[in-house]
Amino acid sequence: MGSNASIMLQQEDLQNICQQTGFTAKQVQRLYSRFKTLDKRDCGFLTREDLLCIPEVNINPLGERLIDVIMDDYGENNKINFKQFIFLLAKFRRGRVKSSTTEFNTRDSKLRFLFDMYDRNHDMKIDREELLQVLKMMVGGNIHDDQIATIADHTIGELDSDGDKSITFEEFCKTLERIDADDKMSMKFLS
Amino acid sequence: MYQNKSSIFLILILGLIIHKYYCKEQTYVHNQAKPARFHVAEFNFDHVSDVYAITLWILLGSLAKVGFHLSHRLTEKFPESCLLIILGLIVGALLYITHLAEQKAYVLNSDTFFLFLLPPIILEAGYFMPNRPFFDNLGTILLLAIVNTLFNTLCIGLTLWGFSFTSLYGGTVFDMLPCFVFAALISAVDPVAVLATFTEIHVNDMLYIVVFGESLLNDAVSVVLYRMFDSFAKIGQENLIPTDIILGCLSFFVVALGGVLIGIIFGVVACFTTKFTEHTPVLEPLIILVYAYLAYLTSEMVSVSGILAITFCGMVMKQYVSFNISKKSDATTEYVLKMLSSIMETIIFMFMGLSTVSDHHSWNTGFVLMTLLCCLVYRVIGIAIFANLANCWRLLELTRIDMLIMSYGGLRGAIAFALALILDETKIPRKKEFVTATIAVVFFTVFVQGITIGPLVKCLNVRRKQIEEPTMSAKLTNRMMDHVMTCLEEISGSGGSNSLRDKCRNLDRNYFKRWLLRETPQEKMDIKLLQTFKKINMQSAMKVHDTSKGLVPAPSSSAIHTSASGTNLRPESTFANFSQILAANLPEQTVPDLMFFENHHGAEQYRDDAQMHHFLDTNLYRARPRATIHLRSQDESAGTDGVAHNRFEKSYHHRNHIYIPSRLDKEQIHGRKAGKTSGGTGRSTASKAGSSNITHSHTHSHSPKHHTSSVSKQQNEKLRSASPVSDQKQQQQQQQSKTRSKSPSLSSDQPIRPSSPTAEMYRPSPPISIRIDNDDDNEILDGTTAAERICPWRRSSIPDAARSTSTSPVNDPSNTTQTASNTNDPNLHPGPLTSANYSGTYHKSPEYLGEYATTTKPEEHLSRPNIRDLFNNQSRIPDEKQENDMETNSDESTTQL
């Protein structure tokens, strides 16, 4: 599948990718074909619009935010090419055994991704505004600001251990200790 | 220990009494001897004998359980099931020695077992089945339940049969098919035993659900295998043709799927029925129980798996019924189920002990040991094979330790025993050996494994069930992960379990919820998040409540008066108002919540119990907020994010999933006695209990403003004569304007721990009596409620004493004023006006009320006359209350008013 008219999926690229990400060749090829399907204009990269065409993403309350994260942190110029795409997805590969864990799919990097979903100004802190934004996305329009604000304050109050009214990455990780984030942030890639 | 011994004695005596009555000759001989004359009193045991015996057995079981739990040392070391079996053994031995009753009177009867004792336990298990873990692990569970049970049966059967060629059994010959029949009944893990053991050791949900799910679902397999081999044995080994075997395999699907289907059908019908029980809430629990039992009986009738049927019936019902029925019915159902299953479990274990002591035994050491060994070894092997197989697709892998606990938790129990008892001795000549071996295996698993599994779990450091309450951030992030992962799965093109779950949720929401629920949820928001928030707040409230020492019922009663009236509402109107008004009013302060209250551990001496009690009461009595979202959301969100959230709308459950301890219920009921409202039946409690903290805190935080604004807009003329009120109102408005410039978010302020004098100032202000002239009639309202209504957290979280003292007393009189006037205004919406707490306060404009007047249901009108009673009642109390309040209030606040 990946071989026909492949722009960048050469054999050595494939091996390279497999090695770096821990995907099997089949998985990479499958992802590549998926990438091609999404890339409707056949230009070798995905844009925001391409991703928004996926119904699931379109209606997902966090879909736009997710695309923001993808485009800003993983792609460039609102584009994401296949290599970036696969490095992004490599984060969510299941790292079951120690040996199958690469630098991408550690628990830390998964949490990092989650953290980045909140922290859009990259100051390594989730402040009240950022939390409010995400909360609003997740809660919908008809809860009053007050309620959301309370929830946000409550959340920050729970996590904030140093009293600076914002959540650092360490504080963020701390609450997730009891959640099996590694498991939840993993998905199965078909091969 | 002493208590325990005495209770055992008591039980023994009871047992003896029962069996004395079984000897009917004793009681009836002298009846015949006398000539027929009129008897003043007659001793007619025959008339009640059966029921009497059953009732006494139940009593015996309950007393035994009560007795065991009096001694903590005993129950810590031994599982209850073991103790019950021992008790049964003792009673059985006594009966056997004394020959007081004929054997069959107290031996476990498989008809009784399967028709009466088993269904409640399984129903309870299904009803309280944690759905999500169950379906998350469904693959593993099915693999273990079907393939592992099959594997175990075949291996055990073959091994037992194989060893009959050696001299191990001492020359006793076991045929192949009887061996397989026995293997079929002995290889299935018993749900009752597993439930009894695993609920005591608190392993993590995943482990529990895998073992328990297996034990539930393997019923289909074991029933089929048992029946198949049993009928094969009856047909005779030499007459078997391949068709029989193929049909046997086919019957597995019929039995399993048939059971599931019947269960689901009955569950759906039950949900559908409860859709219409609005006016007969008393029958709701009964409907649930009867449908479930009917599902079981029906499937037994058509010889499919009854256990599967009742499990799935319970699961389906739980999903929908609890949203239809009232909170009270829901609590009742849960309680009754727990009660039934616990007593049935008790009786089952007791009977097992009892029936062990009998003549129907034939001890064959070789066979028993071989069976035991087979059960243990093949269990371990089977789990090892299939758990590793399951790990291929499982995200969360089963570790070695998990596997060990899974194999160790493979307890056998009463089902095996009951199946062994109904073996036909003419077709299976070795029945006695089988029964004995079954009992040996059951006893071994229940005693040895049951007692040691607890320490083993501790020792191996198995992940325990997390008992901590959910944190807001965890919930939020959890949900975020779900969203992100569904998104990413879609992007990567691998539709995983997350998308499947979403599809199920869609189906559920679009079809099942629509058909089965009284109110179709239409809201478009992440409700679960909000629910967690409420839950957390509620839990904090409960915690605080628990720490407070005693409760003073008197002052809270008036609070209940006012708030109880609010419970008659249909929630649609109220919550719609709530959100509408909230949206209409600019937020001035953020909603304070219980976090602050909790943070003030140092301030314990100020946290006076009455207020706490009241605070909780106001909390608990709020109407359910779900409907808010139902009605309003469509218009509101259509423009902005209606499309975006289309798919993520979630059901708003008017059930809060918060278990309110009975203590509190009692208090509620107690309070309701004083301010009795007849309009609210079971529903009212439902709404009370399912109250939302958010609503509550909103009400409080916004109340000053709403009160003033709404009062000034609508009710001004009605308040003309109430000069104190208007004075206060002005005062309050001034206060408001002052405070308006304050920090917009109260909650972002770090809570300040008040020193004792300040806290004294924050006390609720003294009661004020206000005379309000209405157009139609004059009503004297007492403002004491005001003091009661003050939110306890407010005084601690707001550093400004003057503010709290001035605002809170005022808003309540105006609040009640409005409510009172609303009562007499036919143009106003009758529903919300019954709620003195918030609906009245949130009404911004008459048009708004008019709009909602159309949505009211007739029962709201019924509740109208009660309001006056309510207030009349209330006015009787102030004297004692005033006393209470005067003590706590400082002069400062009084003068300010």
Side-chain angles (χ1 to χ4, degrees):
Chain A
M1 275 189 282
S3 55
N4 60 337
S6 80
I7 302 168
M8 54 199 149
L9 203 64
Q10 310 299 336
Q11 199 56 39
E12 59 268 29
D13 268 345
L14 184 75
Q15 271 171 1
N16 220 345
I17 288 172
C18 290
Q19 217 164 27
Q20 278 180 297
T21 59
F23 281 124
T24 62
K26 263 190 170 173
Q27 282 172 329
V28 175
Q29 275 180 347
R30 202 188 165 91
L31 286 174
Y32 186 67
S33 70
R34 175 67 185 169
F35 183 83
K36 300 295 278 180
T37 343
L38 292 178
D39 182 18
K40 292 200 180 66
R41 284 162 302 169
D42 209 16
C43 49
F45 53 80
L46 299 179
T47 60
R48 295 185 72 89
E49 289 70 35
D50 286 331
L51 289 179
L52 274 175
C53 282
I54 307 169
E56 174 67 37
V57 181
N58 198 358
I59 59 177
N60 193 309
L62 290 174
E64 294 222 23
R65 172 55 67 99
L66 183 68
I67 294 174
D68 283 346
V69 175
I70 292 174
M71 290 304 171
D72 295 353
D73 297 4
Y74 296 88
E76 47 197 350
N77 303 331
N78 273 339
K79 291 174 202 164
I80 181 166
N81 64 29
F82 180 66
K83 215 162 185 168
Q84 291 158 339
F85 180 72
I86 205 153
F87 283 159
L88 163 77
L89 291 178
K91 263 190 196 292
F92 304 98
R93 205 172 55 84
R94 227 182 333 152
R96 190 195 301 159
V97 204
K98 282 253 154 47
S99 58
S100 73
T101 315
T102 61
E103 53 174 314
F104 294 103
N105 63 349
T106 55
R107 179 185 155 89
D108 224 36
S109 78
K110 282 168 186 168
L111 291 183
R112 195 68 225 208
F113 187 89
L114 267 189
F115 189 77
D116 284 342
M117 288 286 290
Y118 291 101
D119 181 29
R120 289 319 295 144
N121 57 8
H122 299 287
D123 61 352
M124 291 304 289
K125 274 180 194 166
I126 302 173
D127 55 40
R128 191 165 177 273
E129 282 312 304
E130 285 170 339
L131 188 64
L132 268 179
Q133 273 182 8
V134 174
L135 260 170
K136 273 180 200 161
M137 287 180 199
M138 289 178 68
V139 151
N142 44 7
I143 292 203
H144 196 258
D145 286 352
D146 262 8
Q147 269 173 316
I148 296 178
T150 319
I151 295 177
D153 289 328
H154 197 117
T155 312
I156 290 180
E158 264 175 18
L159 290 178
D160 189 16
S161 51
D162 55 4
D164 62 351
K165 300 247 171 32
S166 58
I167 304 165
T168 61
F169 184 57
E170 287 72 33
E171 286 166 348
F172 181 74
C173 292
K174 211 164 52 198
T175 36
L176 292 175
E177 269 166 5
R178 283 199 298 273
I179 301 180
D180 199 353
D182 205 4
D183 169 46
K184 286 205 164 125
M185 291 291 287
S186 301
M187 60 179 160
K188 198 175 173 71
F189 287 95
L190 302 174
S191 52
Chain B
M1 279 312 264
Y2 171 73
Q3 282 165 317
N4 192 47
K5 268 177 201 155
S6 66
S7 65
I8 288 178
F9 264 117
L10 188 73
I11 288 156
L12 289 182
I13 292 163
L14 260 171
L16 288 176
I17 291 170
I18 300 166
H19 287 282
K20 202 144 194 151
Y21 288 139
Y22 267 104
C23 311
K24 289 169 187 170
E25 301 90 343
Q26 280 185 348
T27 46
Y28 287 95
V29 166
H30 75 284
N31 262 1
Q32 294 165 350
K34 284 187 177 174
R37 286 279 178 275
F38 179 76
H39 296 284
V40 178
E42 254 179 303
F43 187 74
N44 195 0
F45 179 69
D46 196 28
H47 184 57
V48 291
S49 61
D50 286 348
V51 186
Y52 207 82
I54 291 168
T55 318
L56 279 180
W57 273 119
I58 293 174
L59 182 69
L60 179 63
S62 320
L63 287 179
K65 214 165 179 170
V66 172
F68 293 147
H69 280 279
L70 285 176
S71 157
H72 283 290
R73 250 192 314 168
L74 203 62
T75 41
E76 259 170 33
K77 283 201 188 108
F78 304 102
E80 225 176 64
S81 43
C82 298
L83 296 174
L84 286 166
I85 289 182
I86 292 172
L87 174 68
L89 278 173
I90 296 170
V91 177
L94 279 176
L95 293 178
Y96 187 75
I97 294 164
T98 53
H99 288 290
L100 271 176
E102 40 187 326
Q103 187 92 59
K104 75 169 176 28
Y106 57 85
V107 164
L108 186 63
N109 175 323
S110 22
D111 265 349
T112 321
F113 176 75
F114 281 112
L115 291 186
F116 300 110
L117 298 180
L118 191 57
I121 300 175
I122 306 295
L123 176 62
E124 193 248 11
Y127 198 77
F128 292 100
M129 175 87 78
N131 275 349
R132 186 158 172 180
F134 179 76
F135 285 108
D136 280 355
N137 294 302
L138 191 62
T140 317
I141 291 171
L142 282 178
L143 184 77
L144 289 176
I146 297 169
V147 189
N148 189 28
T149 310
L150 208 62
F151 167 82
N152 266 300
T153 308
L154 291 178
C155 288
I156 293 175
L158 280 174
T159 315
L160 286 179
W161 178 58
F163 274 94
S164 73
F165 293 111
T166 66
S167 58
L168 189 69
Y169 302 151
T172 320
V173 180
F174 290 92
D175 287 335
M176 187 181 81
L177 280 176
C179 273
F180 276 113
V181 176
F182 176 66
L185 66 89
I186 204 72
S187 62
V189 178
D190 185 69
V192 183
V194 167
L195 206 61
T197 312
F198 271 63
T199 42
E200 285 178 27
I201 58 173
H202 302 294
V203 289
N204 62 67
D205 253 3
M206 191 269 293
L207 203 54
Y208 166 76
I209 205 71
V210 168
V211 178
F212 181 58
E214 181 202 341
S215 70
L216 271 182
L217 298 191
N218 71 15
D219 173 66
V221 183
S222 61
V223 163
V224 168
L225 286 177
Y226 175 80
R227 229 174 254 161
M228 194 166 81
F229 288 126
D230 196 36
S231 56
F232 286 177
K234 279 173 190 160
I235 293 168
Q237 206 169 325
E238 54 285 344
N239 302 333
L240 275 183
I241 51 169
T243 325
D244 287 332
I245 295 167
I246 294 169
L247 284 178
C249 297
L250 204 68
S251 80
F252 164 73
F253 293 99
V254 176
V255 167
L257 297 179
V260 172
L261 195 70
I262 288 179
I264 289 175
I265 289 173
F266 273 92
V268 166
V269 173
C271 297
F272 193 69
T273 314
T274 53
K275 204 174 169 180
F276 308 102
T277 52
E278 210 166 335
H279 302 292
T280 47
V282 192
L283 293 180
E284 282 165 350
L286 191 68
I287 283 170
I288 293 169
L289 295 178
V290 164
Y291 271 115
Y293 194 43
L294 212 55
Y296 183 82
L297 292 180
T298 311
S299 51
E300 286 290 303
M301 187 175 73
V302 296
S303 69
V304 297
S305 168
I307 292 185
L308 280 182
I310 202 165
T311 306
F312 276 84
C313 187
M315 285 166 76
V316 171
M317 285 196 304
K318 174 77 173 173
Q319 203 69 7
Y320 303 105
V321 155
S322 50
F323 306 137
N324 273 344
I325 62 179
S326 70
K327 189 88 187 168
K328 226 178 191 171
S329 306
D330 198 31
T332 312
T333 313
E334 291 183 3
Y335 227 91
V336 166
L337 278 176
K338 293 251 184 233
M339 184 190 78
L340 281 180
S341 75
S342 113
I343 191 62
M344 294 307 176
E345 201 181 278
T346 310
I347 291 177
I348 285 176
F349 283 116
M350 222 164 58
F351 265 95
M352 289 230 327
L354 268 176
S355 6
T356 308
V357 191
S358 76
D359 293 325
H360 305 286
H361 286 300
S362 166
W363 182 266
N364 184 328
T365 317
F367 186 71
V368 167
L369 286 180
M370 202 59 224
T371 313
L372 209 53
L373 199 68
C374 281
C375 283
L376 289 175
V377 169
Y378 287 122
R379 173 79 190 167
V380 174
I381 294 176
I383 291 287
I385 296 173
F386 296 109
N388 278 314
L389 197 64
N391 272 348
C392 295
W393 73 76
R394 281 183 68 88
L395 281 180
L396 187 63
E397 290 207 317
L398 296 163
T399 59
R400 292 252 165 80
I401 290 173
D402 286 341
M403 288 180 207
L404 182 67
I405 296 295
M406 278 160 66
S407 36
Y408 206 69
L411 306 176
R412 271 48 165 201
I415 293 184
F417 184 61
L419 285 175
L421 280 182
I422 51 172
L423 287 175
D424 186 0
E425 201 158 1
T426 56
K427 296 288 189 296
I428 298 165
R430 298 279 166 246
K431 179 185 171 182
K432 281 182 185 174
E433 277 88 353
F434 288 155
V435 172
T436 313
T438 311
I439 287 183
V441 171
V442 169
F443 276 29
F444 179 82
T445 53
V446 170
F447 278 89
V448 179
Q449 297 185 354
I451 291 173
T452 50
I453 196 168
L456 191 71
V457 163
K458 252 181 229 154
C459 174
L460 292 174
N461 209 5
V462 177
R463 219 153 41 95
R464 297 298 193 91
K465 189 177 180 155
Q466 293 162 3
I467 307 168
E468 307 100 305
E469 63 241 60
T471 57
M472 203 59 214
S473 48
K475 182 81 185 172
L476 186 66
T477 315
N478 225 338
R479 180 50 51 96
M480 185 185 224
M481 285 195 245
D482 279 354
H483 283 326
V484 169
M485 290 321 286
T486 32
C487 236
L488 281 169
E489 269 176 1
E490 207 58 38
I491 289 176
S492 75
S494 47
S497 59
N498 286 350
S499 343
L500 188 71
R501 186 177 301 137
D502 261 8
K503 275 175 192 127
C504 286
R505 204 181 283 157
N506 263 353
L507 189 77
D508 175 59
R509 196 193 56 244
N510 288 340
Y511 299 102
F512 285 105
K513 287 240 160 71
R514 198 152 292 169
W515 294 334
L516 298 179
L517 298 192
R518 282 180 199 164
E519 287 137 20
T520 324
Q522 293 168 339
E523 69 291 340
K524 301 169 188 275
M525 50 175 275
D526 213 332
I527 299 209
K528 281 208 171 147
L529 206 60
L530 201 62
Q531 267 184 338
T532 311
F533 184 65
K534 286 174 203 155
K535 203 164 157 186
I536 289 169
N537 263 353
M538 178 67 92
Q539 275 166 352
S540 329
M542 300 308 296
K543 220 185 274 165
V544 174
H545 176 263
D546 286 343
T547 52
S548 63
K549 282 143 260 158
L551 292 163
V552 187
S556 65
S557 53
S558 75
I560 293 161
H561 289 191
T562 44
S563 49
S565 59
T567 58
N568 294 328
L569 309 171
R570 293 303 301 171
E572 286 96 285
S573 40
T574 52
F575 197 59
N577 294 338
F578 165 64
S579 71
Q580 176 81 359
I581 300 272
L582 268 186
N585 284 285
L586 279 173
E588 184 180 320
Q589 353 165 297
T590 329
V591 192
D593 61 40
L594 272 168
M595 274 287 271
F596 297 102
F597 196 58
E598 235 190 319
N599 285 340
H600 289 270
H601 284 303
E604 241 180 81
Q605 66 261 43
Y606 323 120
R607 201 189 287 150
D608 86 55
D609 293 342
Q611 277 192 348
M612 196 56 237
H613 185 195
H614 151 75
F615 180 48
L616 271 172
D617 278 335
T618 35
N619 262 343
L620 295 171
Y621 276 58
R622 286 311 144 133
R624 300 165 293 198
R626 77 189 179 294
T628 2
I629 305 164
H630 286 192
L631 286 184
R632 280 276 121 199
S633 58
Q634 273 182 320
D635 338 8
E636 279 174 9
S637 57
T640 52
D641 48 13
V643 188
H645 297 285
N646 213 2
R647 203 157 155 207
F648 285 84
E649 53 189 58
K650 304 229 163 56
S651 64
Y652 197 89
H653 303 150
H654 56 65
R655 203 169 154 270
N656 249 351
H657 299 287
I658 297 160
Y659 182 66
I660 293 138
S662 50
R663 179 150 67 111
L664 216 70
D665 284 344
K666 251 184 243 160
E667 283 150 15
Q668 289 175 356
I669 292 158
H670 181 72
R672 272 169 61 78
K673 262 183 218 156
K676 193 152 173 84
T677 54
S678 61
T681 47
R683 294 254 128 220
S684 59
T685 326
S687 45
K688 264 176 270 158
S691 69
S692 81
N693 222 319
I694 277 200
T695 326
H696 170 65
S697 21
H698 262 284
T699 318
H700 279 289
S701 61
H702 287 279
S703 46
K705 191 170 179 207
H706 292 314
H707 289 311
T708 42
S709 59
S710 54
V711 166
S712 55
K713 274 177 193 164
Q714 305 176 20
Q715 313 281 332
N716 228 346
E717 71 282 7
K718 287 176 185 171
L719 288 170
R720 251 171 304 175
S721 57
S723 54
V725 175
S726 43
D727 283 350
Q728 284 158 4
K729 203 178 65 200
Q730 280 166 11
Q731 216 178 10
Q732 191 204 349
Q733 270 168 340
Q734 285 163 9
Q735 284 284 354
Q736 284 289 317
S737 55
K738 271 182 222 157
T739 50
R740 210 162 285 181
S741 55
K742 282 197 169 174
S743 73
S745 150
L746 227 178
S747 358
S748 63
D749 293 338
Q750 279 297 97
I752 301 151
R753 181 168 297 186
S755 58
S756 58
T758 20
E760 214 38 60
M761 289 185 351
Y762 295 154
R763 291 274 169 209
S765 19
I768 19 157
S769 290
I770 305 146
R771 202 181 160 80
I772 299 141
D773 289 348
N774 275 327
D775 295 339
D776 308 335
D777 59 344
N778 294 347
E779 243 181 328
I780 295 175
L781 292 178
D782 197 271
T784 17
T785 28
E788 301 301 326
R789 300 278 216 70
I790 291 170
C791 352
W793 34 260
R794 173 170 292 222
R795 62 193 154 112
S796 44
S797 59
I798 303 177
D800 186 355
R803 174 175 163 180
S804 86
T805 44
S806 66
T807 53
S808 37
V810 180
N811 63 41
D812 285 301
S814 59
N815 184 5
T816 41
T817 311
Q818 197 183 7
T819 322
S821 50
N822 278 352
T823 327
N824 302 313
D825 192 341
N827 295 327
L828 295 180
H829 176 42
L833 64 83
T834 52
S835 161
N837 282 326
Y838 55 93
S839 321
T841 59
Y842 280 128
H843 287 166
K844 245 213 134 175
S845 61
E847 309 92 75
Y848 184 72
L849 293 172
E851 182 188 340
Y852 274 90
T854 53
T855 64
T856 45
K857 296 197 176 176
E859 63 171 68
E860 288 161 20
H861 296 277
L862 295 177
S863 68
R864 287 184 65 179
N866 297 322
I867 301 154
R868 197 148 309 156
D869 298 344
L870 212 67
F871 284 111
N872 289 340
N873 277 344
Q874 203 182 323
S875 54
R876 278 182 226 131
I877 312 174
D879 290 342
E880 58 170 301
K881 218 179 336 136
Q882 230 155 358
E883 280 172 24
N884 276 343
D885 284 325
M886 285 312 274
E887 286 170 17
T888 53
N889 289 322
S890 63
D891 289 340
E892 225 175 315
S893 54
T894 327
T895 45
Q896 204 162 19
L897 289 160

